[in-house]
Amino acid sequence: MKAELIAVGTEILTGQIVNTNAQFLSEKFAQIGMDVFYHIAVGDNEERLLKVLKTASKRSDLIVLCGGLGPTEDDLTKQTLAKFLGRPLIFDPDAMDKLDRFFASRPDYVRTSNNDRQAQIIDGSQPLPNVTGLAVGGYLDVDGVTYIVLPGPPSELKPMVNQELIPLLDTTGQKLYSRVLRFFGIGESQLVTLLSDLIAKQSDPTIAPYAKTGEVTLRLSTKARDPQKADEKLTKLEEEILNHGQLRNLMYGYGDDNSLAKLVFDLLSARQETISAAESLTAGLFQATIADFPGASAVLEGGFVTYSPQQKAQLLQLDKEQLARQGVVSASTACDMAEQARAIVGSDYGIALTGVAGPEHLEGHPAGTVFIGLATREFSKAYPVNIGGRSRQDIRHIACLHAFNLMRQTLLNDGNLV
């Protein structure tokens, strides 16, 4: 079944309100295995709404109209849909009774004739009671197309959808199940090209790539009657994906809320090990990211933010002359910073980030040149990273992702540098 959502309200088009109902309804429909193909917004205008309904009725099996059920003249959704279908509006007795009781309990409210519009439904509709408001919704099948009208305020729409609409629509027993795979070290275009054979033939399950700053996720989705069957289908597809190229090594986790930083934090916690950091271009971002997690003090014992050569020499106890010779933006300095951060704090690992966030060059290096140093109690190593063509903010963010990924690989390698 192809569904289409039509938001009615000039205030949406002028940006006065955000159409959160579309997101809510799309999520709800996906959960019961229903595909939403179109999101449309139209103003409070009968002529334009009639044109939208004409188009929607030719391409969709289920049309949901949100908003425009109130008492004023610009609330014209039911009136326009009734005109489009050639059916009269009638009064729903239960909705009228609710109106009567509402005004009877509030003698200071003046009831006018237009208030009764909220109790109207299109002839032949199944009423959808409004538990938090006065405007009744409706469910109607005409010529193979299902039309649904819902109130606009989310406080009224959500209870009506959850309590009245979903039970009417959820007849297949199938639900949508998803699994998110997270990758670092590959771009979206490269990943899609690598998986072009699977994407070309996909039907169920489906593959949807999403690019984020510095990383890519794949959302695998399938419809099934129970979680076990869904898990079998998603696991089979996941294995097919990971057998392409080096994807098994580039995938680091699952879920929308997972992250490289959280994975590193959990690995350090499980191993009861600690880390310290010396940051130049990232200005404490690496440490601040770890500090977001409860219990961070057991993992992050301390660290340094040293922008200038003078502070690198003073706080990290680096040799000024050697620092001047090798430069701030260098593999040697990254190693020295990591070693000193670890030694001074007494942590198990030390990590350092130095480089050029831009936009200007530094020491002859272009923006995006980054060196990451990583030190254990026995060894240290520097890793060059090129993050060109990005903003200052993105360069700093992606540099931290690289640092966390190096820590992830090291911890999964039993603490040995990769």
Side-chain angles (χ1 to χ4, degrees):
M1 177 177 281
K2 293 184 291 186
E4 180 161 348
L5 308 181
I6 301 174
V8 183
T10 303
E11 65 274 16
I12 295 173
L13 298 178
T14 58
Q16 293 174 276
I17 66 170
V18 177
N19 183 17
T20 58
N21 289 335
Q23 179 187 13
F24 171 76
L25 287 167
S26 292
E27 289 177 343
K28 285 294 179 180
F29 288 174
Q31 290 170 7
I32 60 174
M34 183 174 292
D35 300 313
V36 175
F37 279 31
Y38 303 98
H39 284 188
I40 303 294
V42 60
D44 301 308
N45 181 281
E46 181 183 280
E47 181 181 354
R48 288 195 289 272
L49 181 52
L50 285 171
K51 290 179 179 178
V52 167
L53 286 168
K54 183 177 179 180
T55 300
S57 65
K58 294 177 180 179
R59 67 186 182 187
S60 300
D61 307 304
L62 176 73
I63 300 171
V64 182
L65 298 102
C66 307
L69 307 189
T72 61
E73 290 301 319
D74 62 346
D75 291 313
L76 45 73
T77 298
K78 283 186 287 191
Q79 289 75 13
T80 306
L81 180 58
K83 181 176 181 178
F84 175 75
L85 297 175
R87 295 196 175 202
L89 287 166
I90 61 174
F91 289 100
D92 174 54
D94 292 335
M96 281 297 292
D97 180 62
K98 186 172 184 178
L99 273 172
D100 293 340
R101 287 185 282 108
F102 174 84
F103 283 102
S105 65
R106 292 166 176 80
D108 52 325
Y109 279 48
V110 177
R111 182 173 184 172
T112 57
S113 59
N114 59 355
N115 286 123
D116 294 352
R117 290 161 57 100
Q118 297 174 95
Q120 289 180 318
I121 59 173
I122 298 171
D123 191 19
S125 295
Q126 178 174 338
L128 299 177
N130 188 336
V131 297
T132 56
L134 298 176
V136 64
Y139 179 105
L140 177 65
D141 289 317
V142 179
D143 298 330
V145 179
T146 300
Y147 298 89
I148 296 166
V149 291
L150 301 171
S155 60
E156 299 180 27
L157 178 141
K158 290 181 178 181
M160 186 179 292
V161 169
N162 288 329
Q163 299 173 28
E164 306 293 337
L165 181 59
I166 294 300
L168 286 175
L169 297 176
D170 189 8
T171 58
T172 65
Q174 286 195 329
K175 297 186 182 299
L176 185 72
Y177 297 89
S178 296
R179 180 182 301 179
V180 174
L181 314 183
R182 303 180 72 99
F183 297 86
F184 182 80
I186 188 170
E188 182 185 19
S189 60
Q190 184 182 356
L191 181 60
V192 169
T193 300
L194 197 60
L195 299 176
S196 58
D197 58 329
L198 292 178
I199 293 174
K201 68 178 184 181
Q202 67 176 331
S203 56
D204 180 34
T206 59
I207 305 170
Y210 297 92
K212 299 186 176 182
T213 303
E215 59 179 308
V216 185
T217 64
L218 289 179
R219 182 178 296 276
L220 315 183
S221 301
T222 186
K223 295 175 184 176
R225 294 184 180 277
D226 61 79
Q228 182 178 350
K229 183 63 176 177
D231 189 64
E232 292 173 0
K233 292 196 288 184
L234 294 175
T235 298
K236 180 182 177 182
L237 178 58
E238 179 184 332
E239 281 301 307
E240 292 179 5
I241 289 171
L242 297 183
N243 285 334
H244 283 65
Q246 299 296 314
L247 291 186
R248 193 175 298 275
N249 297 327
L250 297 177
M251 179 187 157
Y252 72 83
Y254 298 91
D256 286 314
D257 300 325
N258 201 355
S259 68
L260 280 167
K262 183 62 166 61
L263 180 57
V264 168
F265 177 83
D266 289 343
L267 287 170
L268 286 169
S269 298
R271 293 169 62 92
Q272 296 185 324
E273 293 179 325
T274 58
I275 190 171
S276 56
E279 299 182 65
S280 185
L281 86 155
T282 47
L285 182 60
F286 181 92
Q287 296 166 78
T289 304
I290 293 179
D292 283 339
F293 306 119
S297 59
V299 167
L300 180 66
E301 293 197 335
F304 308 84
V305 176
T306 57
Y307 248 67
S308 70
Q310 293 78 10
Q311 292 304 311
K312 288 180 175 63
Q314 180 176 338
L315 296 178
L316 293 172
Q317 303 171 21
L318 299 181
D319 184 87
K320 291 183 179 180
E321 294 182 0
Q322 181 177 328
L323 187 60
R325 286 195 304 271
Q326 63 195 25
V328 169
V329 184
S330 68
S332 299
T333 296
C335 265
D336 293 344
M337 291 171 65
E339 290 172 0
Q340 287 299 100
R342 192 210 63 75
I344 294 171
V345 174
S347 57
D348 296 295
Y349 302 93
I351 198 157
L353 297 104
T354 185
V356 189
E360 299 85 5
H361 285 48
L362 179 63
E363 297 180 348
H365 298 286
T369 302
V370 176
F371 292 94
I372 300 173
L374 182 54
T376 67
R377 295 182 185 277
E378 294 82 21
F379 304 102
S380 65
K381 186 176 178 179
Y383 304 82
V385 178
N386 183 13
I387 315 171
R390 299 278 191 157
S391 67
R392 281 180 58 86
Q393 183 178 2
D394 284 353
I395 288 171
R396 296 170 64 243
H397 174 75
I398 295 172
C400 283
L401 291 179
H402 278 281
F404 280 116
N405 191 52
L406 287 170
M407 275 304 306
R408 175 186 72 90
Q409 293 173 322
T410 299
L411 292 168
L412 293 176
N413 197 34
D414 199 27
N416 298 308
L417 299 180
V418 294

